[in-house]
C-alpha cells in the first residue's frame, strides 16, 4: 500500500497478521480471524517460533489489553475511555483489524451525527420511485457489521446526541435491528461486536445514559506510566510517519523526543520531574498524540529548512503552540515554566534560547 498516505491497520500489518494466523493453534471465538491470545500478541508484540517478531502496536498494561480482548469474546460491547491522546482510536482500529480483518466499519461521532449513521437510511430516489425495499435501504457500518459478523467501531461516542446514542441500546442488547418499513429485522451473525471510544475532557460531551452504559464493559486507557514508555511510543510513531513522509529517521532526534515528552509530562502533572517545583497546568491536554505531532512537525522543519538533524529550534514552535491554547492563562504558565524549570537546566540552554527567541 505505497500509493496511499495512511493504510488501514489490516493492510499495513498484513504480514504480521498472516504470521500470527499461521502459528495460532488456540481456540478462536466464532467469527474471529485469530484467537484472543493472538490478538493480544498482535497488540503488545511477541516473538513467534522461528524468530519472527510481531511489533508492539500499544505500550501499556498487559492486563488492560487482555480484559478488552476478553470482553469482545463475550456478548458485551467494549468502551475504551480515557483522556485525549491515550491511543483509544489506535487500539480500537487494531483490535478490529486483528479480530475481523476489517477496521473500516466506522461511525464517527459528532454533534451532527444522525440516527441513520447508527441504524440505516434510504436511497431517496429509489424510495420515491419504488417505495420501501431492500434495494433502497442504505446500510450503516453497524448494520453491515451485523450482517458480516464483524467488529464495528464508534468513535467519540459521547459527542453524539443522546437520542442517537440510545439507538444503540436495542442493537447491543438484542443483537438485532428492526426494519419496520420492510416488516423485518437484521440479526447479527457470530463475531459481531462494537468497540466505542469516549473521553470526558473535550467540550460538547453528552453523558451516556445508564441504560446504554450497562451495555458496555469499560476499559480506561491511562497515559503512559513512565517517561521511557512515552518516549518509545513517540519514537515509534514518528518513525512510521517519517517513513511515509520521507523525513529523516526518528532515532537521530531521540534527545529532542525525550525533551518534548518531559516538557509535556511536567506541565500536565503540574510538577517538575525532580518534584521540587510546582507548576501551573495549562488548559490543553498535552497528550502523547500531541507530542508525536510536535516531533513530526519538527522533523519536517529539519528536513526542508535545516540540515536534516532535529534540533531544539525545530520543536520549540510546536511545543509553544501545543501548550499555549489560551493566550492569557496558558502564556503565563508557559513563561513561568521557562524561567523556573527550563532556564535552571544547563543542558537545556539551547532549548531555552529557542523558546525565548519565539517570544
Amino acid at each position: 500500500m505505497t500509493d496511499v498516505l495512511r493504510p488501514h491497520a489490516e493492510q499495513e500489518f498484513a504480514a504480521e497478521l498472516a504470521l500470527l494466523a499461521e502459528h495460532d493453534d488456540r481456540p478462536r471465538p466464532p467469527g474471529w480471524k485469530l484467537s484472543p491470545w493472538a490478538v493480544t500478541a498482535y497488540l503488545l508484540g511477541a516473538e513467534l517460533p522461528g524468530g519472527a517478531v510481531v511489533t508492539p502496536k500499544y505500550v501499556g498494561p498487559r492486563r488492560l489489553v487482555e480484559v478488552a480482548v476478553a470482553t469482545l469474546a463475550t456478548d458485551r460491547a467494549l468502551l475504551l475511555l480515557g483522556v485525549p491522546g491515550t491511543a483509544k482510536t489506535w487500539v480500537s482500529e487494531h483490535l478490529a483489524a486483528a479480530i475481523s480483518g476489517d477496521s473500516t466499519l466506522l461511525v464517527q461521532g459528532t454533534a451532527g451525527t444522525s440516527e441513520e449513521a447508527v441504524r440505516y437510511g434510504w436511497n431517496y430516489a429509489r424510495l420515491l420511485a419504488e417505495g420501501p425495499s431492500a434495494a433502497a435501504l442504505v446500510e450503516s457500518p453497524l448494520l453491515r457489521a451485523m450482517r458480516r459478523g464483524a467488529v464495528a467501531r464508534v468513535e467519540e461516542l459521547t459527542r453524539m446526541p443522546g437520542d442517537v446514542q440510545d439507538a444503540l441500546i436495542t442493537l447491543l442488547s438484542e443483537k438485532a435491528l428492526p426494519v419496520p418499513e420492510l416488516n423485518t429485522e437484521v440479526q447479527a451473525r457470530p463475531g459481531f461486536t462494537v468497540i466505542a471510544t469516549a473521553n470526558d475532557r473535550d467540550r460538547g460531551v453528552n453523558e451516556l445514559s445508564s441504560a446504554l452504559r450497562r451495555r458496555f464493559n469499560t476499559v480506561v486507557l491511562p497515559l503512559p506510566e513512565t517517561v521511557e514508555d512515552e518516549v518509545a511510543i513517540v519514537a515509534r510513531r514518528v518513525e512510521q510517519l517519517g517513513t511515509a513522509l520521507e523525513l529523516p529517521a526518528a532515532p537521530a532526534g531521540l534527545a529532542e523526543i525525550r525533551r518534548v515528552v518531559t516538557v509535556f509530562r511536567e506541565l500536565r502533572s503540574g510538577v517538575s520531574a525532580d518534584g521540587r517545583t510546582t507548576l501551573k497546568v495549562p488548559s490543553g491536554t498535552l497528550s502523547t498524540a500531541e507530542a508525536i505531532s510536535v516531533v513530526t512537525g519538527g522533523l519536517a522543519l529539519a528536513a526542508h529548512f535545516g540540515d536534516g538533524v532535529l534540533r531544539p529550534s525545530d520543536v520549540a514552535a510546536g511545543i509553544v503552540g501545543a501548550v499555549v491554547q489560551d493566550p492569557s492563562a496558558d502564556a503565563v504558565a508557559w513563561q513561568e515554566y521557562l524561567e523556573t524549570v527550563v532556564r535552571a537546566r544547563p543542558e537545556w540552554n539551547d532549548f531555552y534560547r529557542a523558546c525565548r527567541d519565539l517570544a
Side-chain angles (χ1 to χ4, degrees):
M1 296 297 296
T2 58
D3 56 343
V4 297
L5 185 59
R6 186 189 182 280
H8 297 301
E10 60 272 18
Q11 298 167 335
E12 184 174 1
F13 297 99
E16 291 187 6
L17 290 168
L19 274 174
L20 279 166
E22 181 183 341
H23 291 89
D24 185 14
D25 57 357
R26 305 195 183 201
R28 305 181 188 185
W32 283 39
K33 301 289 187 183
L34 299 172
S35 70
W37 171 85
V39 172
T40 303
Y42 170 73
L43 256 74
L44 297 178
E47 184 173 343
L48 301 177
V53 175
V54 176
T55 59
K57 317 302 180 298
Y58 174 71
V59 177
R62 183 179 187 87
R63 197 58 175 173
L64 284 183
V65 176
E66 291 175 342
V67 169
V69 174
T71 293
L72 296 171
T74 69
D75 65 347
R76 299 276 287 180
L78 173 66
L79 175 61
L80 298 176
L81 194 64
V83 300
T86 47
K88 300 182 295 297
T89 298
W90 183 255
V91 170
S92 75
E93 178 184 357
H94 284 284
L95 282 171
I99 292 170
S100 301
D102 185 359
S103 63
T104 65
L105 298 170
L106 170 69
V107 174
Q108 179 61 57
T110 69
T113 300
S114 67
E115 195 170 329
E116 292 180 349
V118 174
R119 299 174 75 243
Y120 55 84
W122 296 97
N123 179 328
Y124 287 102
R126 301 196 69 161
L127 184 65
L128 292 172
E130 307 168 4
S133 66
L137 191 74
V138 178
E139 298 183 347
S140 71
L142 285 149
L143 189 56
R144 295 201 302 274
M146 293 175 69
R147 288 193 189 277
R148 290 156 52 178
V151 176
R153 299 165 55 209
V154 180
E155 286 296 310
E156 302 290 356
L157 178 59
T158 51
R159 286 188 171 275
M160 296 162 54
D163 57 336
V164 179
Q165 293 178 14
D166 286 343
L168 289 167
I169 291 177
T170 300
L171 185 150
L172 294 177
S173 59
E174 303 297 329
K175 300 298 188 291
L177 182 61
V179 186
E181 296 89 343
L182 302 180
N183 195 28
T184 186
E185 69 175 5
V186 176
Q187 293 182 294
R189 296 183 63 185
F192 167 73
T193 190
V194 174
I195 304 174
T197 66
N199 72 75
D200 55 6
R201 288 285 299 274
D202 288 345
R203 297 174 182 174
V205 168
N206 300 299
E207 288 294 328
L208 300 183
S209 67
S210 58
L212 181 56
R213 191 176 286 274
R214 286 196 302 271
R215 269 68 180 183
F216 286 98
N217 274 358
T218 301
V219 171
V220 179
L221 296 185
L223 289 164
E225 185 174 353
T226 67
V227 173
E228 287 70 24
D229 284 347
E230 194 160 2
V231 168
I233 293 169
V234 174
R236 184 177 297 111
R237 284 296 295 137
V238 167
E239 184 175 7
Q240 292 169 347
L241 292 170
T243 299
L245 299 172
E246 299 184 8
L247 297 177
L254 279 177
E256 295 308 320
I257 291 175
R258 179 173 292 275
R259 183 159 17 219
V260 172
V261 167
T262 300
V263 170
F264 278 23
R265 290 179 69 90
E266 289 180 324
L267 284 172
R268 72 184 179 223
S269 67
V271 64
S272 60
D274 58 13
R276 297 178 181 177
T277 306
T278 301
L279 307 168
K280 288 186 173 68
V281 178
S283 60
T285 56
L286 301 180
S287 66
T288 307
E290 289 168 294
I292 293 167
S293 178
V294 167
V295 176
T296 304
L299 283 174
L301 284 171
H304 300 300
F305 302 102
D307 58 3
V309 177
L310 189 65
R311 302 187 187 281
S313 57
D314 298 318
V315 299
I319 289 179
V320 174
V323 173
V324 184
Q325 300 290 316
D326 182 337
S328 55
D330 293 346
V332 173
W334 175 242
Q335 289 301 320
E336 287 189 6
Y337 177 74
L338 277 181
E339 299 302 328
T340 59
V341 177
V342 176
R343 189 176 184 179
R345 294 171 175 165
E347 69 278 16
W348 283 30
N349 282 343
D350 48 357
F351 178 68
Y352 174 77
R353 287 194 301 271
C355 293
R356 292 294 298 173
D357 288 345
L358 287 172

